[in-house]
Coordinates of all heavy atoms in Angstrom, one line a residue:
M1 N 90.0 135.7 128.8 CA 89.3 134.6 128.3 C 88.1 134.3 129.2 O 88.1 134.4 130.4 CB 90.3 133.3 128.3 CG 89.6 132.1 127.8 SD 90.8 130.8 127.5 CE 90.3 129.6 128.7
I2 N 87.0 134.0 128.5 CA 85.7 133.8 129.2 C 85.8 132.4 129.9 O 86.3 131.4 129.2 CB 84.6 133.8 128.2 CG1 84.4 135.2 127.6 CG2 83.3 133.4 128.9 CD1 83.4 135.3 126.5
R3 N 85.4 132.4 131.1 CA 85.4 131.1 131.8 C 83.9 130.8 132.2 O 83.1 131.7 132.4 CB 86.2 131.1 133.1 CG 87.7 131.4 132.9 CD 88.4 130.3 132.1 NE 88.2 129.0 132.8 CZ 88.6 127.8 132.2 NH1 89.2 127.9 131.1 NH2 88.5 126.7 132.8
Y4 N 83.5 129.6 132.1 CA 82.2 129.2 132.5 C 82.3 128.3 133.7 O 83.3 127.6 134.0 CB 81.5 128.4 131.4 CG 81.2 129.3 130.2 CD1 82.2 129.4 129.2 CD2 80.0 129.9 130.0 CE1 81.9 130.2 128.1 CE2 79.8 130.7 128.9 CZ 80.7 130.9 127.9 OH 80.5 131.6 126.9
E5 N 81.2 128.2 134.5 CA 81.1 127.3 135.6 C 79.9 126.4 135.4 O 78.8 126.9 134.9 CB 80.9 128.0 136.9 CG 82.2 128.6 137.4 CD 82.0 129.2 138.8 OE1 80.8 129.2 139.3 OE2 83.0 129.7 139.4
C6 N 80.0 125.1 135.7 CA 78.9 124.2 135.6 C 77.8 124.8 136.6 O 78.1 125.0 137.8 CB 79.3 122.8 136.0 SG 77.9 121.7 136.2
D7 N 76.6 125.0 136.1 CA 75.5 125.5 137.0 C 75.1 124.5 138.0 O 74.3 124.9 138.9 CB 74.4 126.0 136.1 CG 74.7 127.2 135.3 OD1 75.3 128.2 135.9 OD2 74.4 127.3 134.1
K8 N 75.5 123.3 137.9 CA 75.1 122.3 138.9 C 76.2 122.1 140.0 O 75.9 122.1 141.2 CB 74.8 120.9 138.2 CG 74.3 119.8 139.1 CD 72.9 120.1 139.5 CE 72.4 118.8 140.3 NZ 71.2 119.1 141.0
C9 N 77.4 121.9 139.5 CA 78.5 121.5 140.5 C 79.5 122.6 140.7 O 80.4 122.5 141.6 CB 79.1 120.2 140.2 SG 80.2 120.3 138.7
G10 N 79.6 123.6 139.8 CA 80.5 124.7 139.9 C 81.9 124.5 139.2 O 82.8 125.3 139.3
Q11 N 82.0 123.3 138.6 CA 83.3 123.1 137.9 C 83.6 124.1 136.8 O 82.7 124.5 136.1 CB 83.3 121.7 137.2 CG 84.5 121.3 136.4 CD 84.5 120.0 135.8 OE1 84.0 119.0 136.4 NE2 84.9 119.9 134.6
S12 N 84.9 124.6 136.8 CA 85.3 125.6 135.8 C 85.5 125.0 134.5 O 86.0 123.9 134.4 CB 86.6 126.3 136.3 OG 87.0 127.3 135.4
M13 N 85.0 125.7 133.4 CA 85.2 125.2 132.0 C 85.5 126.4 131.1 O 85.1 127.5 131.4 CB 83.8 124.6 131.6 CG 83.4 123.4 132.4 SD 81.7 122.9 131.9 CE 80.7 124.2 132.5
G14 N 86.2 126.1 130.0 CA 86.6 127.1 129.0 C 85.5 127.3 128.0 O 84.6 126.4 127.9
P15 N 85.5 128.3 127.2 CA 84.4 128.6 126.2 C 84.3 127.5 125.2 O 83.3 127.2 124.6 CB 84.7 129.9 125.7 CG 86.2 130.2 126.0 CD 86.5 129.4 127.2
N16 N 85.5 126.9 124.8 CA 85.5 125.9 123.8 C 85.8 124.5 124.4 O 86.2 123.6 123.7 CB 86.5 126.2 122.7 CG 86.2 127.4 122.0 OD1 85.0 127.7 121.6 ND2 87.1 128.3 121.8
D17 N 85.5 124.4 125.7 CA 85.7 123.1 126.4 C 84.8 122.0 125.8 O 83.6 122.2 125.7 CB 85.4 123.3 127.9 CG 85.9 122.2 128.7 OD1 85.9 121.0 128.3 OD2 86.4 122.5 129.8
S18 N 85.4 120.9 125.4 CA 84.6 119.8 124.8 C 83.7 119.2 125.8 O 82.8 118.4 125.4 CB 85.5 118.8 124.1 OG 86.3 118.2 125.1
A19 N 83.9 119.4 127.1 CA 83.1 118.9 128.1 C 82.1 119.9 128.7 O 81.6 119.7 129.8 CB 84.0 118.3 129.2
R20 N 81.8 121.0 127.9 CA 80.8 122.0 128.4 C 79.6 121.8 127.6 O 79.6 121.7 126.3 CB 81.4 123.4 128.2 CG 80.3 124.4 128.7 CD 80.9 125.8 128.7 NE 81.1 126.4 127.4 CZ 80.2 127.2 126.8 NH1 79.0 127.4 127.4 NH2 80.4 127.6 125.5
Y21 N 78.5 121.7 128.2 CA 77.2 121.4 127.5 C 76.2 122.5 127.9 O 76.2 123.0 129.0 CB 76.6 120.1 127.9 CG 77.5 118.9 127.4 CD1 78.5 118.5 128.1 CD2 77.2 118.4 126.1 CE1 79.4 117.5 127.6 CE2 78.0 117.4 125.6 CZ 79.1 116.9 126.3 OH 79.9 116.0 125.8
I22 N 75.4 122.9 127.0 CA 74.3 123.9 127.2 C 73.0 123.2 127.3 O 72.6 122.3 126.4 CB 74.3 124.9 126.1 CG1 75.6 125.7 126.1 CG2 73.1 125.9 126.3 CD1 75.8 126.6 124.9
V23 N 72.3 123.4 128.3 CA 70.9 122.9 128.5 C 69.9 124.0 128.5 O 70.1 125.0 129.2 CB 70.8 122.1 129.9 CG1 69.4 121.7 130.1 CG2 71.8 121.0 130.0
K24 N 68.9 123.8 127.6 CA 67.8 124.8 127.5 C 66.6 124.1 128.0 O 66.2 123.0 127.6 CB 67.6 125.3 126.1 CG 68.7 126.2 125.6 CD 68.5 126.7 124.2 CE 69.6 127.6 123.8 NZ 69.3 128.1 122.4
L25 N 65.9 124.7 128.9 CA 64.7 124.2 129.5 C 63.5 125.1 129.2 O 63.6 126.3 129.5 CB 64.8 124.1 131.0 CG 63.6 123.6 131.8 CD1 63.3 122.1 131.4 CD2 64.0 123.6 133.3
E26 N 62.6 124.6 128.4 CA 61.4 125.4 128.0 C 60.2 124.9 128.6 O 59.9 123.7 128.4 CB 61.4 125.4 126.4 CG 60.4 126.4 125.8 CD 60.5 126.3 124.3 OE1 60.8 125.2 123.7 OE2 60.3 127.3 123.7
I27 N 59.5 125.7 129.3 CA 58.2 125.3 130.0 C 57.1 126.2 129.5 O 57.2 127.4 129.6 CB 58.4 125.4 131.5 CG1 59.6 124.6 132.0 CG2 57.1 124.9 132.2 CD1 59.9 124.8 133.4
Y28 N 56.0 125.6 129.0 CA 54.9 126.4 128.6 C 53.6 125.7 128.8 O 53.5 124.5 128.9 CB 55.0 126.9 127.1 CG 55.3 125.7 126.2 CD1 54.2 125.1 125.5 CD2 56.6 125.4 125.8 CE1 54.5 124.0 124.7 CE2 56.8 124.3 125.0 CZ 55.8 123.7 124.4 OH 56.0 122.7 123.5
A29 N 52.6 126.5 129.0 CA 51.2 126.0 129.2 C 50.8 125.1 128.1 O 50.9 125.5 126.9 CB 50.2 127.1 129.5
A30 N 50.2 124.0 128.4 CA 49.7 123.1 127.4 C 48.2 123.2 127.2 O 47.5 122.2 126.9 CB 50.1 121.6 127.8
A31 N 47.7 124.4 127.4 CA 46.3 124.6 127.3 C 45.7 124.4 125.9 O 46.4 124.7 124.9 CB 46.0 126.1 127.7
G32 N 44.6 123.8 125.8 CA 43.9 123.5 124.6 C 42.9 124.6 124.3 O 43.1 125.8 124.6
N33 N 41.8 124.2 123.8 CA 40.7 125.1 123.6 C 40.2 125.7 124.9 O 40.1 125.0 125.9 CB 39.5 124.4 122.9 CG 39.9 124.0 121.5 OD1 40.8 124.6 120.9 ND2 39.3 123.0 121.0
I34 N 39.9 127.0 124.9 CA 39.3 127.6 126.1 C 37.8 127.5 126.1 O 37.2 127.8 125.0 CB 39.7 129.1 126.1 CG1 41.2 129.3 126.2 CG2 39.0 129.8 127.2 CD1 41.7 130.7 126.0
E35 N 37.3 126.9 127.2 CA 35.8 126.8 127.2 C 35.2 128.0 127.9 O 35.7 128.4 129.0 CB 35.5 125.5 128.0 CG 35.9 124.3 127.3 CD 35.4 123.0 128.0 OE1 34.5 123.1 128.8 OE2 36.1 122.0 127.8
M36 N 34.3 128.6 127.2 CA 33.7 129.8 127.8 C 32.2 129.5 128.1 O 31.5 128.8 127.4 CB 33.8 131.0 126.8 CG 35.2 131.4 126.5 SD 35.3 132.7 125.3 CE 34.6 134.1 126.2
S37 N 31.8 130.1 129.2 CA 30.4 129.9 129.6 C 29.5 130.7 128.7 O 29.9 131.5 127.9 CB 30.2 130.5 131.0 OG 30.3 131.9 131.0
D38 N 28.2 130.3 128.7 CA 27.2 130.9 127.8 C 27.2 132.4 128.1 O 27.0 133.2 127.2 CB 25.8 130.3 128.0 CG 25.8 128.9 127.5 OD1 26.6 128.6 126.6 OD2 24.9 128.1 127.9
D39 N 27.3 132.8 129.4 CA 27.3 134.2 129.8 C 28.5 134.9 129.2 O 28.3 136.1 128.7 CB 27.3 134.3 131.3 CG 27.0 135.7 131.8 OD1 26.1 136.3 131.2 OD2 27.6 136.1 132.8
A40 N 29.6 134.3 129.2 CA 30.8 135.0 128.6 C 30.7 135.1 127.1 O 31.1 136.1 126.6 CB 32.1 134.2 129.0
L41 N 30.1 134.1 126.5 CA 29.9 134.1 125.0 C 28.9 135.2 124.7 O 29.0 135.9 123.6 CB 29.4 132.8 124.5 CG 30.5 131.7 124.5 CD1 29.9 130.4 124.2 CD2 31.6 132.0 123.5
A42 N 27.9 135.5 125.5 CA 26.9 136.5 125.3 C 27.5 137.9 125.5 O 27.0 138.8 124.8 CB 25.7 136.3 126.2
N43 N 28.5 138.0 126.3 CA 29.1 139.3 126.6 C 30.6 139.3 126.5 O 31.3 139.4 127.5 CB 28.7 139.8 128.0 CG 27.2 139.8 128.2 OD1 26.5 140.6 127.5 ND2 26.7 139.0 129.1
P44 N 31.2 139.0 125.3 CA 32.6 138.9 125.2 C 33.4 140.1 125.6 O 34.5 140.0 126.1 CB 32.8 138.6 123.7 CG 31.6 139.0 123.0 CD 30.5 138.9 124.0
A45 N 32.9 141.3 125.4 CA 33.6 142.5 125.8 C 33.7 142.5 127.4 O 34.8 142.9 127.9 CB 32.8 143.8 125.4
D46 N 32.7 142.1 128.1 CA 32.8 142.1 129.5 C 33.8 141.0 130.0 O 34.5 141.2 130.9 CB 31.4 141.7 130.2 CG 30.4 142.8 130.0 OD1 30.8 144.0 129.7 OD2 29.2 142.6 130.2
E47 N 33.8 139.9 129.3 CA 34.7 138.8 129.7 C 36.2 139.3 129.4 O 37.1 139.1 130.2 CB 34.5 137.6 128.8 CG 35.3 136.4 129.2 CD 35.1 135.9 130.6 OE1 34.2 136.2 131.3 OE2 36.0 135.1 131.0
L48 N 36.4 140.0 128.3 CA 37.7 140.5 128.0 C 38.1 141.5 129.1 O 39.3 141.6 129.6 CB 37.8 141.1 126.6 CG 39.1 141.7 126.2 CD1 40.2 140.7 126.2 CD2 39.0 142.3 124.8
A49 N 37.2 142.4 129.5 CA 37.5 143.4 130.5 C 37.8 142.7 131.8 O 38.7 143.2 132.5 CB 36.3 144.3 130.7
N50 N 37.2 141.6 132.1 CA 37.5 140.9 133.4 C 38.9 140.3 133.3 O 39.6 140.3 134.3 CB 36.5 139.7 133.6 CG 35.1 140.2 134.0 OD1 34.9 141.3 134.5 ND2 34.1 139.4 133.7
V51 N 39.3 139.7 132.2 CA 40.6 139.2 132.0 C 41.7 140.3 132.2 O 42.7 140.1 132.8 CB 40.8 138.5 130.6 CG1 42.2 138.1 130.4 CG2 39.9 137.2 130.6
L52 N 41.4 141.4 131.5 CA 42.4 142.5 131.6 C 42.5 143.1 133.0 O 43.6 143.4 133.5 CB 42.0 143.7 130.6 CG 42.1 143.3 129.1 CD1 41.6 144.4 128.2 CD2 43.6 143.0 128.8
D53 N 41.4 143.1 133.7 CA 41.4 143.6 135.1 C 42.2 142.6 136.0 O 43.0 143.0 136.8 CB 40.0 143.7 135.7 CG 39.3 145.0 135.3 OD1 40.0 145.9 134.8 OD2 38.1 145.0 135.5
A54 N 42.1 141.3 135.7 CA 42.8 140.3 136.5 C 44.3 140.4 136.2 O 45.2 140.3 137.1 CB 42.3 138.9 136.1
L55 N 44.7 140.7 134.9 CA 46.1 140.9 134.6 C 46.7 142.1 135.2 O 47.9 142.1 135.5 CB 46.2 140.9 133.0 CG 46.0 139.6 132.3 CD1 46.0 139.7 130.8 CD2 47.1 138.6 132.8
K56 N 45.9 143.2 135.3 CA 46.4 144.4 135.9 C 46.9 144.2 137.3 O 47.9 144.8 137.7 CB 45.3 145.5 135.9 CG 45.1 146.2 134.6 CD 44.0 147.2 134.7 CE 43.5 147.7 133.4 NZ 42.4 148.6 133.4
S57 N 46.2 143.4 138.1 CA 46.6 143.2 139.5 C 47.5 142.0 139.6 O 48.0 141.7 140.8 CB 45.3 143.0 140.3 OG 44.6 141.9 139.9
A58 N 47.8 141.3 138.6 CA 48.7 140.1 138.7 C 50.1 140.5 138.7 O 50.5 141.5 138.1 CB 48.4 139.1 137.5
D59 N 50.9 139.6 139.3 CA 52.4 139.8 139.3 C 52.9 139.3 137.9 O 52.6 138.2 137.5 CB 53.0 138.9 140.4 CG 54.5 139.0 140.5 OD1 55.1 139.3 139.4 OD2 55.1 138.8 141.6
P60 N 53.6 140.2 137.2 CA 54.1 139.8 135.8 C 54.9 138.5 135.8 O 54.8 137.8 134.9 CB 54.9 141.0 135.4 CG 54.4 142.2 136.2 CD 54.0 141.6 137.5
D61 N 55.7 138.3 136.9 CA 56.5 137.1 136.9 C 55.6 135.9 137.1 O 55.9 134.8 136.5 CB 57.5 137.1 138.1 CG 58.7 138.1 137.8 OD1 58.9 138.4 136.6 OD2 59.3 138.5 138.7
D62 N 54.6 136.0 137.9 CA 53.6 134.9 138.0 C 52.9 134.6 136.7 O 52.8 133.4 136.3 CB 52.6 135.1 139.1 CG 53.2 135.1 140.5 OD1 54.3 134.5 140.6 OD2 52.5 135.6 141.4
V63 N 52.5 135.6 136.0 CA 51.8 135.4 134.7 C 52.8 134.7 133.7 O 52.4 133.8 133.0 CB 51.4 136.8 134.1 CG1 50.8 136.6 132.7 CG2 50.3 137.4 135.0
E64 N 54.1 135.2 133.7 CA 55.0 134.6 132.7 C 55.3 133.1 133.1 O 55.4 132.3 132.3 CB 56.3 135.4 132.7 CG 57.3 134.9 131.7 CD 58.6 135.8 131.6 OE1 58.7 136.7 132.4 OE2 59.4 135.5 130.8
D65 N 55.4 132.9 134.4 CA 55.7 131.5 134.9 C 54.5 130.6 134.5 O 54.8 129.4 134.2 CB 55.8 131.5 136.4 CG 57.2 131.9 136.9 OD1 58.1 132.1 136.0 OD2 57.4 132.1 138.1
Q66 N 53.3 131.1 134.5 CA 52.1 130.3 134.1 C 52.0 130.1 132.6 O 51.2 129.2 132.2 CB 50.9 130.9 134.7 CG 50.9 130.9 136.2 CD 49.7 131.7 136.8 OE1 48.8 132.1 136.0 NE2 49.8 132.1 138.0
T67 N 52.7 130.9 131.8 CA 52.5 130.8 130.4 C 53.7 130.3 129.6 O 53.6 129.4 128.8 CB 52.0 132.1 129.8 OG1 53.0 133.1 130.2 CG2 50.7 132.5 130.3
Y68 N 54.9 130.9 129.9 CA 56.1 130.5 129.2 C 57.3 130.9 129.9 O 57.4 132.0 130.4 CB 56.1 131.2 127.8 CG 57.3 130.8 127.0 CD1 57.4 129.6 126.3 CD2 58.5 131.6 127.0 CE1 58.5 129.2 125.6 CE2 59.6 131.2 126.3 CZ 59.6 130.0 125.6 OH 60.7 129.7 124.9
R69 N 58.2 130.0 130.0 CA 59.5 130.3 130.7 C 60.6 129.5 130.0 O 60.4 128.3 129.7 CB 59.5 129.9 132.1 CG 60.7 130.3 132.9 CD 60.9 131.8 133.0 NE 60.1 132.3 134.1 CZ 60.3 133.6 134.5 NH1 61.1 134.4 134.0 NH2 59.5 134.0 135.5
C70 N 61.7 130.1 129.6 CA 62.9 129.4 129.0 C 64.1 129.7 129.8 O 64.4 130.9 130.2 CB 63.1 130.0 127.6 SG 64.4 129.1 126.7
L71 N 64.8 128.6 130.3 CA 65.9 128.8 131.1 C 67.1 128.1 130.4 O 67.0 127.2 129.6 CB 65.7 128.0 132.4 CG 64.5 128.5 133.2 CD1 64.2 127.5 134.4 CD2 64.6 129.9 133.7
R72 N 68.3 128.6 130.7 CA 69.5 128.1 130.0 C 70.6 127.8 131.1 O 70.8 128.7 132.0 CB 70.1 129.2 129.0 CG 71.3 128.7 128.3 CD 71.9 129.9 127.5 NE 73.1 129.5 126.8 CZ 74.3 129.4 127.4 NH1 74.5 129.6 128.6 NH2 75.4 129.1 126.6
F73 N 71.2 126.7 131.0 CA 72.3 126.3 132.0 C 73.5 125.8 131.2 O 73.4 125.2 130.2 CB 71.7 125.2 132.9 CG 70.5 125.5 133.6 CD1 69.2 125.2 133.1 CD2 70.5 126.3 134.8 CE1 68.1 125.5 133.8 CE2 69.4 126.6 135.5 CZ 68.1 126.2 135.0
D74 N 74.7 126.0 131.8 CA 75.9 125.3 131.4 C 76.1 124.1 132.3 O 76.0 124.3 133.5 CB 77.1 126.3 131.5 CG 77.0 127.4 130.5 OD1 76.9 127.1 129.3 OD2 77.0 128.6 130.9
L75 N 76.5 123.0 131.7 CA 76.8 121.8 132.5 C 78.1 121.2 132.1 O 78.5 121.2 130.9 CB 75.7 120.7 132.3 CG 74.3 121.0 132.9 CD1 73.4 119.8 132.7 CD2 74.3 121.4 134.4
C76 N 78.8 120.6 133.1 CA 80.0 119.8 132.8 C 79.5 118.4 132.3 O 78.3 118.1 132.4 CB 80.9 119.7 134.0 SG 80.2 118.6 135.3
D77 N 80.4 117.6 131.8 CA 80.1 116.3 131.3 C 79.4 115.4 132.3 O 78.5 114.7 132.0 CB 81.3 115.7 130.7 CG 81.0 114.4 129.9 OD1 80.0 114.4 129.1 OD2 81.7 113.4 130.1
E78 N 80.0 115.4 133.5 CA 79.5 114.5 134.5 C 78.0 114.9 134.9 O 77.1 114.1 135.0 CB 80.3 114.6 135.8 CG 80.0 113.5 136.8 CD 80.2 112.1 136.3 OE1 81.1 111.9 135.4 OE2 79.5 111.2 136.7
C79 N 77.7 116.2 135.0 CA 76.4 116.7 135.3 C 75.4 116.4 134.2 O 74.2 116.1 134.4 CB 76.4 118.1 135.8 SG 77.2 118.4 137.4
R80 N 75.9 116.5 132.9 CA 75.1 116.2 131.8 C 74.7 114.7 131.8 O 73.5 114.4 131.6 CB 75.9 116.4 130.5 CG 75.2 115.9 129.2 CD 76.1 115.9 128.0 NE 77.2 114.9 128.2 CZ 77.1 113.6 127.9 NH1 76.0 113.1 127.4 NH2 78.1 112.8 128.1
K81 N 75.6 113.8 132.2 CA 75.3 112.4 132.3 C 74.2 112.2 133.3 O 73.2 111.4 133.1 CB 76.5 111.6 132.6 CG 77.5 111.5 131.5 CD 78.8 110.8 131.9 CE 79.9 110.8 130.8 NZ 81.1 110.3 131.3
K82 N 74.4 112.8 134.5 CA 73.4 112.7 135.6 C 72.0 113.2 135.1 O 71.0 112.6 135.4 CB 73.9 113.4 136.8 CG 75.1 112.7 137.5 CD 75.5 113.5 138.7 CE 76.8 112.9 139.3 NZ 77.3 113.8 140.4
L83 N 72.0 114.3 134.4 CA 70.7 114.9 134.0 C 70.0 113.9 133.0 O 68.8 113.7 133.1 CB 71.0 116.2 133.3 CG 69.7 116.9 132.7 CD1 68.7 117.3 133.8 CD2 70.1 118.1 131.9
L84 N 70.8 113.4 132.1 CA 70.2 112.5 131.1 C 69.7 111.2 131.7 O 68.7 110.6 131.3 CB 71.2 112.2 130.0 CG 71.4 113.4 129.0 CD1 72.5 113.0 128.0 CD2 70.2 113.8 128.3
A85 N 70.4 110.8 132.8 CA 69.9 109.5 133.5 C 68.6 109.7 134.2 O 67.8 108.8 134.4 CB 71.0 109.0 134.4
E86 N 68.4 111.0 134.7 CA 67.3 111.2 135.5 C 66.8 112.7 135.3 O 67.0 113.6 136.1 CB 67.6 111.0 137.0 CG 66.3 110.9 137.9 CD 66.7 110.5 139.3 OE1 67.8 110.1 139.6 OE2 65.7 110.5 140.1
P87 N 66.2 113.0 134.1 CA 65.9 114.3 133.7 C 65.0 115.1 134.7 O 65.1 116.3 134.8 CB 65.2 114.2 132.4 CG 65.5 112.8 131.9 CD 65.8 112.0 133.1
L88 N 64.1 114.4 135.4 CA 63.2 115.1 136.3 C 63.6 115.0 137.7 O 62.9 115.3 138.6 CB 61.8 114.6 136.1 CG 61.2 114.8 134.7 CD1 59.8 114.3 134.6 CD2 61.2 116.3 134.4
G89 N 64.9 114.6 137.9 CA 65.5 114.5 139.2 C 64.7 113.9 140.3 O 64.7 114.0 141.4
Ligands
LIG1 ZN1 78.9 119.8 136.9

């Protein structure tokens, strides 16, 4: 039988435990329109090459962290209550 542990306090829970909750945390960049300089607008191919060069040397985890990340946690009932009372801890 699959057993779960609360990711906050470690309490053991069964797969159909009525006191087991799943928390999904989705974080993504809230960027709006991208403002480009007149120089970049005049030379879009150069600007794209600059962006691609920057991505080549960037850490993929850092790039993902800066754009989109989805996390999933199992929580017991008590930790669910605490999270809802103070979501940003
Ligand atoms: Zn817990």
Side-chain angles (χ1 to χ4, degrees):
M1 179 166 117
I2 297 173
R3 297 298 303 175
Y4 292 88
E5 284 187 355
C6 173
D7 288 315
K8 182 73 173 166
C9 73
Q11 179 179 318
S12 181
M13 301 175 288
N16 296 318
D17 194 322
S18 63
R20 180 172 75 91
Y21 293 87
I22 296 170
V23 176
K24 291 183 178 179
L25 180 62
E26 190 176 32
I27 305 168
Y28 51 91
N33 294 332
I34 297 172
E35 293 184 23
M36 296 179 68
S37 67
D38 290 339
D39 193 39
L41 287 171
N43 303 300
D46 290 346
E47 183 65 12
L48 180 58
N50 290 338
V51 171
L52 293 175
D53 280 346
L55 287 173
K56 283 180 188 173
S57 61
D59 181 332
D61 286 338
D62 286 344
V63 172
E64 187 175 4
D65 282 348
Q66 292 170 16
T67 53
Y68 180 82
R69 183 68 81 171
C70 184
L71 305 170
R72 181 190 180 279
F73 303 97
D74 291 301
L75 291 183
C76 70
D77 188 45
E78 192 61 33
C79 290
R80 175 194 63 86
K81 291 175 186 172
K82 290 177 183 175
L83 176 67
L84 289 174
E86 197 172 350
L88 297 179

